[in-house]
Amino acid sequence: MTRAARLALAAAGAAIAGLVIAMIAGGAAFPRIIPGLPDAGAVTRWGLPVSQLTMDVAGVLTVGLLLMAATLLPGDKGVLGKAATGYVRAASWTGLAWSGAAFATLVFGMAETAAVPVGEVLLNGAYLNSYATQTSQGVALTLVVLFGLAIALFARGSITAGAALGLLVFALVTLLPPTLTGHAASSPNHGLATTALSLHVVSLSLWVGGLVVLALHAVRGAPQLDLAAARFSRFALWCYVAVGASGVFSVLARLTALSDLWASAYGVLIVAKVIAFVLLGYAGWWHRERTLGALAKGGPGAFTRLAGGEALLMLATVGLAVALSRTPPPPSSLPADRAFELLGYPVPPPISLANIFSLWWLDLFFALVAALLGGLYAAGVIRLRRRGDSWSWGRTASWFAGVVILVFATQSGLARYAKVMFDVHMIEHMTLAMIVPILLVLGGPVTLALRALKPAARRGDRGPREWLTTILHSRFVRIAGHPAIATAIFIASTYALYFTPLFASAMQEHLGHIWMTLHFLISGSLFFWVIIGVDPGPHRLPYVGKLLVLFVTMPFHAFFGVALMMTGTVIAADWYDQLGRTWGGPLLEEQQNGGAIAWGFGEIPTLMVLLAIAVQWYQDEDRTARRADRKADRGSGGDVELDSYNAYLARLNRADKADQAE
């Protein structure tokens, strides 16, 4: 048996051992069966967690294989090397296993829900069809089945780093549906819980999958291990921080008291995960301090042993996580409140300016977005300053002003009231779709990144700078960045959101609200990037064209506001009725106020854009004039008549000198 096969068997054993021990400790292995109540039986009781563990491990391996191929191993001008191509082909098989395990989980999940034997579920297709299409857990698993098959199919023909990276992103998305329908969705603070758990699953999968495949790479004696290990070490540090931070937020969202950590089976399993997390952190530190140096000197033995042991501990932790998902969290003592269930917090008191500035609430997703935007930009500016290069303070101020307004719009009382009042929601919408994007695109983040990031150390390889350049020159950016497309997205999406059931659906789910808010930011940034962006783009409009696009677009927002003011029915009435708000005006009146806000709000961004275009136009004309002056001073390419006259004088001067010589 080869070393790779032995490592695979040991990893499978570690994962199953972690699952079994945790299920016994948590009480899920031998639950109390009440006589007279239906029970799915021991086959389902053990088959469901085993199939779920297989699904999770296959997903983690798929992520690790694609991570190794796309980023850890060097390529040649975007084309995968032999080893990287092999890992993408292996991801095709793990993707197929991922899909099959998800289907098995679907079958066992239906058996547990209906409390019937597995054989009856397989023989009666109606059971499986109803579970797969009418329950959130079934729909999530169905998506994993389909996405896993898609990864298996497309990985067979992928030979470029871009394709491998695209499959990696797709695999990370495939991890999320089951995550968003588990304990997190029923947590008292489900917004914090779902965001924290999603970040936890993504960062943990990248960390665990990358290390397992790296250990396999070492066991096989494959080339370029030292380079892949050094790259993964830097990447794993950020994953470790993300796993730890997201784990803390997940615990805060689920446990109602500190005593739950030792007074409940769920808390005991969390403590076990914390211990494993600390041990993994120590192993990672040892990698950086000792084994990477030995590996660079040509001694892979210590690295292989430590990486293999760390991979086994990681997979045992995955088994522990599966058992944790099968263990109910401590019951919440909060009173029953439909508004609290929908919002994650009670209905706020009557709106006032003081409440808007004082009722802050952590939206973890957009807090992370703001932290990344501010932190990465600051890091780029600092790198340029340390290098002795200059960067505009105006651009820096514009960028951080946009980040500050983003934080206020998503974390303050404005965000709280936006979920319960339509007119406040419209203020938030217009701020995020117009004010924040204008300030961000004037900050020139892409230009800053291109100047601050260093080229890849190996010629033909792809580092962050090369990936950014590739994305800028991609077909997707060329299409999305076309003025007509960007304008159509900016205008049409607003009408489509509010005059279709999309708005009501988005408000019902925390994930839908995240996507809606992200759409405001992205569509606005795309549109204003085309008009006033200082970053390089695929299509550059003349300044007259920019003014024309602006004056054509803004009336559509005014028409949208008028249409809202004239609407006689309440949009998303079911959502607002469920909240049970006892203060404020009629819903239709608030909606009409929102239309008036949309109608009048457009003047502020229009003025900002006009001012930006005027300044950019003046600066461009000034640069053009200075270039012409420099050319004229050099006597090349300046004024044609002046150059001809100077040439004529030069010829006369040469003729005079010739006459004098004779």
Side-chain angles (χ1 to χ4, degrees):
M1 183 181 296
T2 64
R3 296 176 65 190
R6 289 198 299 270
L7 177 62
L9 288 176
I16 293 176
L19 171 66
V20 172
I21 294 172
M23 285 191 64
I24 294 174
F30 305 105
R32 180 185 177 186
I33 300 176
I34 301 176
L37 294 181
D39 178 51
V43 174
T44 298
R45 189 179 309 123
W46 285 98
L48 180 56
V50 169
S51 63
Q52 186 177 346
L53 175 62
T54 306
M55 179 182 70
D56 291 346
V57 170
V60 166
L61 289 177
T62 303
V63 168
L65 289 166
L66 294 171
L67 176 69
M68 189 75 167
T71 62
L72 300 184
L73 291 176
D76 184 13
K77 297 181 180 179
V79 179
L80 297 174
K82 182 179 179 181
T85 303
Y87 287 130
V88 174
R89 297 293 181 272
S92 175
W93 292 107
T94 57
L96 188 62
W98 193 2
S99 178
F103 180 77
T105 306
L106 188 68
V107 173
F108 284 115
M110 179 62 231
E112 182 185 59
T113 301
V116 297
V118 177
E120 187 173 342
V121 173
L122 293 174
L123 292 176
N124 190 346
Y127 275 125
L128 204 57
N129 181 64
S130 61
Y131 184 72
T133 58
Q134 299 178 17
T135 65
S136 58
Q137 295 88 348
V139 171
L141 291 170
T142 302
L143 290 176
V144 176
V145 172
L146 297 176
F147 291 171
L149 287 175
I151 292 172
L153 176 64
F154 289 112
R156 299 300 302 171
S158 299
I159 61 173
T160 64
L165 184 64
L167 287 172
L168 173 61
V169 174
F170 191 34
L172 293 175
V173 172
T174 307
L175 292 169
L176 296 180
T179 300
L180 299 174
T181 56
H183 293 326
S186 58
S187 173
N189 190 352
H190 54 271
L192 177 62
T194 53
T195 302
L197 187 58
S198 298
L199 176 62
H200 192 74
V201 168
V202 169
S203 54
L204 186 64
S205 299
L206 288 167
W207 184 26
V208 176
L211 182 66
V212 169
V213 177
L214 188 63
L216 177 63
H217 194 77
V219 168
R220 294 173 57 214
Q224 299 173 323
L225 174 62
D226 55 342
L227 177 62
R231 290 182 175 182
F232 179 75
S233 178
R234 295 189 294 269
F235 179 76
L237 177 61
W238 292 105
C239 288
Y240 185 80
V241 173
V243 168
S246 59
V248 170
F249 284 115
S250 296
V251 171
L252 292 176
R254 287 183 180 83
L255 301 184
T256 57
L258 184 62
S259 60
D260 290 337
L261 287 174
W262 57 83
S264 65
Y266 191 87
V268 170
L269 294 182
I270 287 178
V271 173
K273 281 191 67 177
V274 171
I275 295 173
F277 176 76
V278 173
L279 292 175
L280 289 171
Y282 176 76
W285 172 82
W286 191 270
H287 267 303
R288 294 178 65 91
E289 294 296 321
R290 301 294 180 88
T291 62
L292 287 181
L295 184 61
K297 296 177 182 178
F303 174 83
T304 302
R305 289 189 296 272
L306 184 58
E310 190 178 357
L312 295 181
L313 179 58
M314 281 184 168
L315 289 175
T317 307
V318 172
L320 175 62
V322 172
L324 186 65
S325 69
R326 304 288 303 152
T327 305
S332 173
S333 59
L334 296 174
D337 183 2
R338 180 56 178 163
F340 190 92
E341 293 176 2
L342 294 172
L343 299 171
Y345 52 84
V347 173
I351 188 170
S352 67
L353 193 61
N355 287 338
I356 288 178
F357 281 92
S358 61
L359 294 179
W360 288 76
W361 180 259
L362 176 64
D363 187 320
L364 181 59
F365 181 85
F366 287 102
L368 291 174
V369 170
L372 285 174
L373 292 177
L376 292 176
Y377 197 94
V381 173
I382 291 173
R383 175 174 287 188
L384 287 184
R385 297 290 182 184
R386 287 178 176 175
R387 204 167 62 194
D389 295 337
S390 61
W391 181 254
S392 170
W393 284 107
R395 292 183 181 181
T396 304
S398 176
W399 178 267
F400 282 103
V403 172
V404 169
I405 296 176
L406 171 63
V407 170
F408 182 79
T410 57
Q411 312 292 319
S412 70
L414 182 68
R416 282 211 193 192
Y417 285 102
K419 290 186 177 181
V420 301
M421 300 180 67
F422 187 87
D423 45 3
V424 180
H425 164 82
M426 193 55 60
I427 295 175
E428 183 188 46
H429 172 181
M430 294 298 166
T431 301
L432 293 172
M434 295 186 179
I435 304 299
V436 174
I438 290 174
L439 295 171
L440 292 182
V441 299
L442 289 176
V446 176
T447 302
L448 174 63
L450 291 174
R451 290 183 58 187
L453 291 172
K454 298 178 181 179
R458 290 171 173 256
R459 186 176 180 85
D461 197 8
R462 281 188 177 178
R465 192 178 192 278
E466 287 73 23
W467 278 115
L468 180 59
T469 304
T470 301
I471 293 172
L472 287 175
H473 291 89
S474 66
R475 181 180 301 178
F476 174 79
V477 173
R478 286 200 303 271
I479 295 175
H482 192 280
I485 301 298
T487 303
I489 293 173
F490 187 62
I491 295 174
S493 61
T494 302
Y495 286 85
L497 176 64
Y498 292 100
F499 296 120
T500 68
L502 284 176
F503 177 71
S505 300
M507 295 296 286
Q508 292 286 347
E509 300 289 342
H510 179 68
L511 185 62
H513 189 267
I514 287 177
W515 282 114
M516 178 173 61
T517 308
L518 267 181
H519 172 76
F520 295 155
L521 281 172
I522 295 173
S523 62
S525 299
L526 181 64
F527 174 73
F528 290 111
W529 174 46
V530 171
I531 297 181
I532 58 173
V534 296
D535 290 325
H539 308 281
R540 304 302 296 179
L541 286 173
Y543 290 101
V544 175
K546 294 178 179 182
L547 291 172
L548 180 62
V549 171
L550 176 66
F551 289 137
V552 167
T553 302
M554 288 308 168
F556 282 96
H557 274 277
F559 297 154
F560 164 73
V562 173
L564 279 180
M565 295 170 64
M566 297 178 63
T567 302
T569 58
V570 177
I571 299 173
D574 291 341
W575 164 260
Y576 293 108
D577 289 338
Q578 291 181 83
L579 298 179
R581 177 162 54 91
T582 57
W583 50 265
L587 296 178
L588 187 59
E589 180 180 338
E590 289 183 357
Q591 182 173 300
Q592 292 170 346
N593 292 338
I597 291 170
W599 178 41
F601 199 97
E603 296 181 1
I604 301 175
T606 300
L607 181 61
M608 294 173 64
V609 172
L610 285 175
L611 181 61
I613 291 177
V615 172
Q616 291 174 357
W617 200 344
Y618 169 77
Q619 291 176 343
D620 188 47
E621 292 291 338
D622 184 57
R623 285 192 296 268
T624 302
R626 283 190 275 114
R627 281 197 299 268
D629 291 340
R630 287 195 297 269
K631 289 181 180 180
D633 292 339
R634 293 194 301 266
S636 58
D639 185 84
V640 176
E641 295 182 359
L642 180 60
D643 290 344
S644 300
Y645 182 72
N646 289 334
Y648 171 72
L649 293 178
R651 288 196 299 271
L652 290 179
N653 187 37
R654 288 195 296 270
D656 291 340
K657 290 182 179 180
D659 292 340
Q660 292 174 3
E662 294 177 356

